[in-house]
Amino acid sequence: MFKHLFKLIWNKRKQNFLFLSEILVSFLVIFAVFSFLTYYYQNYSKPLGFEYKKVWSINYDNGLLTKNNDSLAIFYDNLYKSLKAMPQIEEVSYTGGNFPYSNSNMSTGVNFHGKKFDHVNNYVVGTDYKKVLDVNLIEGRWFLPEDAVTKNKYVIINETLKKEMFGKETAVGKLIGNYDDKEKMKIVGVVQDLKANGDFWPAGNAMFNQLDTGYLKYNSYILVKVRESADATFESELYKFMANTMKNSIEIEHMDEMRDSKNEVTIIPMVIFIIIASFLIINVALGLFGVLWYNINKRKGEIGLRRAIGASGNAVSYQLVMEAMILATMSLIVGSFFAVQFPLLNVFNIPASVYVIAMLLSILFIYLLVFACSLYPGKQAAGIHPAVALHEE
């Protein structure tokens, strides 16, 4: 049976070339769509790693502040106490500019036993940073005030970096080198990954450094966790207080709104891409339907002859559907050859599982599409009366 079908397909190879090309293009487009969707879904399904609700960021211009370290330390300590004393504020923490959902990025590299790990997100955080964002510790502890005067600098790493550097071994107490491997840093804790760039992006490697007095002259961000009672009136009062204290420009942002903005940057292009791909698939489906319908009309004599010598309507329908499925398989073999290069070459540094899942989903989608497009023409062919078909020929 299959040998006969392959012979029929080969004899009509010129007519089938358009069908093969449409299937191949459809597969590649669907593979791209499913790759994006699988990648984003895998990232979205992972825990966020922190709590963003009721967290506000205060961005201030520190240009008018003194640059003396001792004076700055006293100033910021008084500011911290004043903010913490406000009844609508639960927790306060100074932070570098690259806190979650900000548009700032700061990265570095670390060394361990001669192996270098690049593109490590480097966060400079205050002692109460964990309390403000409810960061989840999975190993060790968070920073203490006395950690700022230790021999080896204390750092905290995230779960992803811990797995890459130490695997299943414990990370607490290990010494790692800085970018040039000239200074040693001691790991005191491991935190759950923080998806700082939005719900649809991975956390990546991350390291947390304690904000000390030497960094205060460069600092211009404060994170505050407010209570449910904090409203627009309190925000206005907080703005006036900070403006009077800093004698300069102030900006207050809500982290939940910042999260929505980050997610929109990913969602909107993806929705546009899916809409364009959907129109393409609809056009391809109509094209496949038309090609199959045209082939049936051109093969009425063949169909009538088969019916005349005893073939059932179901057998005729089965033959046409199987021809379409075999053609789809031939196109999918070629398409899969190109698709499998993505995980083999580690394109875009995306996990191989994303491409494998996307390829399997794309193959299933194409088979369903071809089957749906060939089913109705096949049934129409099964209903052709042999005498009518032979008479027309």
Side-chain angles (χ1 to χ4, degrees):
M1 176 64 179
F2 284 102
K3 182 179 180 181
H4 175 67
L5 291 176
F6 276 110
K7 187 175 181 180
L8 290 174
I9 291 172
W10 176 254
N11 291 335
K12 299 180 181 296
R13 54 189 179 275
K14 290 185 178 179
Q15 295 91 323
N16 291 327
F17 178 76
L18 177 61
F19 187 95
L20 292 169
S21 301
E22 288 183 333
I23 294 297
L24 178 60
V25 172
S26 300
F27 172 77
L28 295 177
V29 172
I30 292 300
F31 173 70
V33 172
F34 277 128
S35 295
F36 279 111
L37 292 179
T38 303
Y39 178 69
Y40 289 143
Y41 175 76
Q42 285 187 354
N43 293 326
Y44 182 80
S45 62
K46 294 178 181 178
L48 191 61
F50 65 97
E51 180 58 55
Y52 61 89
K53 295 179 180 178
K54 291 297 179 180
V55 177
W56 298 353
S57 72
I58 305 173
N59 178 19
Y60 56 89
D61 188 345
N62 61 1
L64 298 180
L65 298 179
T66 177
K67 301 304 179 183
N68 181 271
N69 288 344
D70 294 333
S71 300
L72 275 178
I74 296 174
F75 173 82
Y76 278 113
D77 184 59
N78 292 332
L79 176 60
Y80 171 86
K81 292 177 180 178
S82 298
L83 291 173
K84 195 71 180 293
M86 294 182 178
Q88 293 88 349
I89 293 180
E90 289 187 14
E91 301 292 344
V92 180
S93 176
Y94 297 112
T95 178
N98 59 334
F99 57 92
Y101 306 140
S102 67
N103 293 318
S104 177
N105 182 57
M106 184 168 60
S107 62
T108 185
V110 294
N111 285 270
F112 182 68
H113 289 173
K115 185 177 181 181
K116 192 170 184 178
F117 298 85
D118 294 318
H119 308 295
V120 177
N121 292 316
N122 188 27
Y123 296 96
V124 181
V125 299
T127 306
D128 292 332
Y129 188 87
K130 176 181 178 298
K131 296 178 181 179
V132 173
L133 295 180
D134 289 332
V135 178
N136 183 28
L137 266 172
I138 60 177
E139 188 178 325
R141 62 173 178 83
W142 190 253
F143 294 117
L144 299 174
E146 55 267 26
D147 292 341
V149 293
T150 56
K151 177 182 177 182
N152 293 314
K153 186 178 181 180
Y154 283 2
V155 296
I156 295 172
I157 62 176
N158 72 340
E159 191 176 5
T160 296
L161 183 57
K162 182 256 182 184
K163 289 180 179 179
E164 287 196 17
M165 297 183 73
F166 310 109
K168 296 182 179 180
E169 297 180 9
T170 182
V172 174
K174 300 285 182 65
L175 292 176
I176 59 177
N178 62 355
Y179 183 81
D180 298 321
D181 204 19
K182 294 180 180 180
E183 297 180 4
K184 293 298 181 181
M185 301 175 290
K186 186 176 181 179
I187 300 174
V188 295
V190 179
V191 298
Q192 190 177 41
D193 290 342
L194 276 65
K195 294 194 294 186
N197 293 317
D199 296 350
F200 302 97
W201 293 96
N205 295 328
M207 179 175 66
F208 298 83
N209 293 275
Q210 188 175 21
L211 191 151
D212 55 20
T213 55
Y215 190 84
L216 289 176
K217 65 180 67 176
Y218 310 108
N219 195 69
S220 58
Y221 287 93
I222 304 174
L223 293 180
V224 295
K225 184 175 183 179
V226 299
R227 304 183 191 276
E228 293 293 335
S229 59
D231 53 13
T233 302
F234 170 70
E235 184 175 350
S236 177
E237 294 174 357
L238 178 62
Y239 179 89
K240 292 178 181 178
F241 169 77
M242 290 298 301
N244 292 331
T245 302
M246 294 297 177
K247 307 297 182 183
N248 220 323
S249 59
I250 301 295
E251 181 182 10
I252 298 178
E253 293 184 281
H254 297 195
M255 193 168 282
D256 54 352
E257 297 175 356
M258 298 170 67
R259 169 180 173 267
D260 293 339
S261 298
K262 275 287 184 180
N263 289 338
E264 286 177 0
V265 173
T266 302
I267 293 174
I268 292 176
M270 177 59 16
V271 170
I272 294 174
F273 185 31
I274 291 175
I275 293 174
I276 295 174
S278 298
F279 278 112
L280 176 62
I281 297 304
I282 292 172
N283 289 330
V284 169
L286 293 174
L288 295 178
F289 189 87
V291 169
L292 293 170
W293 189 270
Y294 175 77
N295 287 340
I296 290 172
N297 290 329
K298 293 288 288 184
R299 297 169 64 181
K300 277 189 175 181
E302 173 193 336
I303 295 171
L305 183 59
R306 286 203 63 199
R307 293 297 309 277
I309 61 177
S312 65
N314 289 336
V316 172
S317 177
Y318 176 78
Q319 174 190 338
L320 294 174
V321 172
M322 286 305 299
E323 284 184 22
M325 299 299 282
I326 290 173
L327 287 170
T329 302
M330 295 171 64
S331 292
L332 290 174
I333 291 174
V334 177
S336 297
F337 171 78
F338 291 105
V340 79
Q341 306 305 313
F342 284 80
L344 292 177
L345 299 177
N346 194 26
V347 179
F348 304 124
N349 198 28
I350 291 176
S353 61
V354 171
Y355 292 123
V356 173
I357 294 173
M359 187 165 60
L360 295 176
L361 291 175
S362 301
I363 291 173
L364 178 61
F365 182 88
I366 292 298
Y367 274 132
L368 292 175
L369 178 67
V370 173
F371 179 76
C373 291
S374 62
L375 191 61
Y376 182 73
K379 287 186 175 181
Q380 290 295 105
I384 295 176
H385 196 278
V388 175
L390 293 174
H391 177 73
E392 289 182 359
E393 290 295 322

